[in-house]
Amino acid sequence: MEFSTLFFKNNQILPAGENKYYITDKTPFYAIEDIRFFTNTIPQLILISEKEFQEKFEEYLSNLSNQFLKEESEESFEPEDILQTSDTPVVQLINSIFLKATRVNASDIHFEPFSDKVIVRYRMDGVLHQINEIPLSIYPEVVSRIKVLSKLNVAEKRIPQDGRIRIKIGQKEIDMRVSTLPTVFGERVVIRLLDKSTKILTLEELGLYPEDKEIFENIINKPYGLVLVTGPTGSGKSTTLYASLLKLKTPRKNIITVEDPVEYQIDGISQVQVNPKIGLTFSAGLRSILRQDPDIIMVGEIRDLETAEMAVHASMTGHLVLSTLHTNDAPSSITRLADMGIEAFLIASSLEGVIAQRLVRRVCEFCKEEIIPDIKEKEFLNRYIEIKDDFKLYKGKGCEHCLYTGYKGRIAIYEIMKIDEDFRSIISKSTDSKVIRDYALKKGMKTLIQDGLKKAIDGITTIEEVIQAAKH
């Protein structure tokens, strides 16, 4: 008789080799007896902790899925009705992919169908890595399983769909946002992972240099006004906003947010989830929030003129408003607001500061090594920052800790533009981004690339990462 993975998981018992089994303090006696009875042998038992069991169980699932994929590439697969069972090979495969993604801290999982196979890729530290291939013969079952988990229409394959999955792995709660897209070879699926158990970063942990942190705190500690965090999708804007809210949170302040989605819950802060299907948009949510006597408002994103107008109005009537925009740098945010239809004098009156940011990969601390900069690198650095003759650069050689990429984790690079009275006068006269940038640089603003190169010299990241981030 073959025992199911559910039997092993529920009873905390697992094969460890020929007639050997791992058990924990919580393994029931009858489970050992079942194995003894059906195998007609006396099993050798190895006692391990619950944490070790969880790790070995995840490894067991991964090995199962790999074996399953190997067999499927050699012979055709007769699909089972996975909607009626929780222990089919396809379910094991998907669970394994989810487990691996959480263990390597992937932010996204991509299922990409092509003419002869389906590629599975993880986005780790902002870069996609291929980790698996799935035979086309079983891919429809994989998509169906994901759709069932995310409460999507399994029969509908002609139009894109969006859904959510919430799973628990050990002590971790993972919220997954699922997106399907029909392609000529099948439905493409992308899953964004949000680890609910991950600690929200504080302002001190964002990677700001002390002088930049001081400017940042001065901006967000204003009693009222508009503060914008800008950058492309996936540049860490939400993380910066959450860190700001943690810094501002006190029992004397009424803080309300309107987000899409609410990525992390913060005690003591009222958070509203956008739901366009019922008319709860950013602008509608903001309108309602203003009737709740708030001191500080966080709007997930300013996407249209109505939301922009309301955010500006709220910031000029005694509220501190934090929000995000999609712009390439800090000065461009003013041009963007003007393009939306906000009058220049209103921008000048309401805006207190803009923080532009990008994410760069950290050099892996386990395999970091010093490198000798060449002439081109020295010339490039000299163009943006002052360097000493004996400065050093670093890179990761590649090891098992960083999956041989040389990078592990990410950190933000920043461009902080503080608005003072003279700056308001400039904005009132012109919202041209070049004029604004020239004035900001004259006032001492450090650019994204300057902040990044300083972090490269400090051994935190590499010049290549900074250049790549600055392009976006």
Side-chain angles (χ1 to χ4, degrees):
M1 174 183 173
E2 288 189 9
F3 294 92
S4 71
T5 53
L6 283 177
F7 173 85
F8 292 137
K9 180 182 179 183
N10 292 340
N11 296 299
Q12 295 203 3
I13 188 167
L14 200 63
E18 185 68 26
N19 201 33
K20 293 180 181 179
Y21 291 85
Y22 294 116
I23 62 169
T24 73
D25 290 334
K26 292 189 177 179
T27 303
F29 180 75
Y30 65 77
I32 300 171
E33 282 299 291
D34 283 348
I35 287 176
R36 186 187 66 79
F37 178 80
F38 285 109
T39 60
N40 198 27
T41 58
I42 299 174
Q44 298 178 43
L45 305 177
I46 304 169
L47 183 65
I48 59 175
S49 68
E50 287 184 61
K51 183 180 179 183
E52 286 176 305
F53 179 84
Q54 183 64 32
E55 290 175 354
K56 290 187 182 299
F57 181 72
E58 291 177 11
E59 186 179 342
Y60 172 77
L61 280 181
S62 296
N63 291 336
L64 262 187
S65 71
N66 289 337
Q67 180 61 30
F68 170 63
L69 287 172
K70 185 171 181 283
E71 292 170 359
E72 281 313 303
S73 63
E74 295 169 355
E75 58 184 35
S76 62
F77 174 69
E78 291 295 324
E80 299 177 36
D81 186 357
I82 63 171
L83 307 182
Q84 302 300 320
T85 177
S86 59
D87 202 28
T88 67
V90 170
V91 173
Q92 293 172 6
L93 169 62
I94 294 170
N95 288 347
S96 170
I97 290 171
F98 287 174
L99 286 166
K100 284 181 183 176
T102 59
R103 292 186 75 173
V104 299
N105 295 319
S107 61
D108 301 85
I109 306 171
H110 289 229
F111 295 84
E112 303 168 3
F114 296 101
S115 60
D116 57 342
K117 62 189 172 185
V118 178
I119 292 174
V120 181
R121 297 199 288 175
Y122 290 163
R123 187 177 293 279
M124 296 180 288
D125 295 331
V127 179
L128 283 168
H129 299 270
Q130 182 175 333
I131 58 98
N132 222 334
E133 289 183 5
I134 298 175
L136 276 173
S137 58
I138 67 165
Y139 186 58
E141 313 303 325
V142 171
V143 176
S144 294
R145 174 62 179 167
I146 293 171
K147 283 184 174 180
V148 169
L149 288 172
S150 51
K151 296 180 174 59
L152 298 179
N153 185 347
V154 177
E156 182 55 76
K157 301 176 182 178
R158 301 164 299 171
I159 60 173
Q161 297 187 68
D162 295 308
R164 298 180 76 172
I165 304 172
R166 184 166 289 178
I167 63 171
K168 192 170 184 180
I169 301 175
Q171 298 301 311
K172 284 186 175 183
E173 274 195 23
I174 311 293
D175 199 10
M176 299 179 169
R177 282 184 274 165
V178 179
S179 172
T180 69
L181 181 71
T183 71
V184 291
F185 297 116
E187 290 182 275
R188 193 180 194 276
V189 180
V190 174
I191 303 174
R192 167 66 57 89
L193 279 67
L194 297 170
D195 188 348
K196 294 291 186 179
S197 62
T198 302
K199 185 176 76 72
I200 302 173
L201 295 181
T202 63
L203 214 55
E204 289 70 27
E205 296 169 326
L206 288 181
L208 289 160
Y209 284 108
E211 63 273 19
D212 297 327
K213 179 173 168 287
E214 185 179 348
I215 297 170
F216 189 96
E217 287 184 344
N218 286 337
I219 292 172
I220 64 172
N221 279 319
K222 298 282 186 179
Y224 54 84
L226 178 62
V227 179
L228 296 174
V229 181
T230 76
T233 301
S235 59
K237 299 188 296 296
S238 296
T239 300
T240 300
L241 285 179
Y242 280 125
S244 303
L245 293 179
L246 283 180
K247 190 74 176 178
L248 296 169
K249 188 184 76 167
T250 71
R252 298 181 298 278
K253 297 285 187 183
N254 179 19
I255 304 177
I256 307 178
T257 76
V258 54
E259 308 171 56
D260 182 24
V262 175
E263 294 184 16
Y264 300 101
Q265 281 87 39
I266 305 176
D267 290 337
I269 293 177
S270 300
Q271 295 170 271
V272 178
Q273 169 75 51
V274 165
N275 189 348
K277 292 179 182 177
I278 60 172
L280 182 52
T281 59
F282 278 118
S283 56
L286 183 50
R287 189 180 296 109
S288 299
I289 286 172
L290 289 171
R291 294 194 285 269
Q292 293 284 316
D293 186 31
D295 297 296
I296 299 169
I297 303 167
M298 193 264 270
V299 182
E301 185 183 344
I302 294 177
R303 295 176 178 171
D304 51 47
L305 175 58
E306 186 180 5
T307 307
E309 285 178 336
M310 294 191 68
V312 168
H313 172 73
S315 67
M316 294 177 68
T317 53
H319 307 90
L320 179 66
V321 180
L322 309 178
S323 191
T324 70
L325 268 181
H326 287 282
T327 62
N328 291 329
D329 54 24
S332 298
S333 61
I334 293 170
T335 308
R336 177 87 175 100
L337 288 174
D339 290 343
M340 280 184 172
I342 305 296
E343 296 284 351
F345 75 92
L346 291 175
I347 300 172
S349 302
S350 61
L351 199 60
E352 290 295 337
V354 183
I355 299 94
Q357 65 180 79
R358 298 287 189 282
L359 290 178
V360 294
R361 291 184 290 174
R362 286 179 178 268
V363 175
C364 176
E365 290 295 333
F366 294 96
C367 60
K368 180 194 283 191
E369 61 180 13
E370 186 181 323
I371 60 171
I372 300 171
D374 58 30
I375 295 173
K376 286 186 178 179
E377 286 173 327
K378 288 181 179 179
E379 289 176 351
F380 181 76
L381 285 161
N382 262 322
R383 203 182 312 161
Y384 294 99
I385 58 175
E386 293 182 10
I387 55 173
K388 297 178 182 177
D389 292 335
D390 59 345
F391 82 98
K392 301 172 182 176
L393 292 174
Y394 300 85
K395 72 171 185 178
K397 188 167 60 175
C399 65
E400 60 182 13
H401 295 282
C402 60
L403 300 179
Y404 300 94
T405 62
Y407 299 97
K408 187 172 177 62
R410 288 191 290 178
I411 192 169
I413 57 175
Y414 293 95
E415 180 174 281
I416 304 175
M417 188 173 77
K418 186 178 180 181
I419 309 298
D420 58 19
E421 291 307 313
D422 292 337
F423 215 145
R424 296 187 200 283
S425 177
I426 296 290
I427 295 169
S428 296
K429 295 172 185 173
S430 173
T431 57
D432 181 82
S433 60
K434 186 180 184 307
V435 173
I436 294 161
R437 169 167 281 276
D438 289 344
Y439 182 78
L441 292 173
K442 182 181 172 184
K443 296 287 285 186
M445 181 184 78
K446 184 164 61 178
T447 65
L448 282 165
I449 200 163
Q450 287 172 332
D451 187 52
L453 292 177
K454 189 173 188 309
K455 286 183 167 79
I457 289 176
D458 289 343
I460 300 170
T461 187
T462 62
I463 291 180
E464 292 78 15
E465 275 295 294
V466 176
I467 293 171
Q468 188 65 30
K471 288 179 182 177
H472 294 86

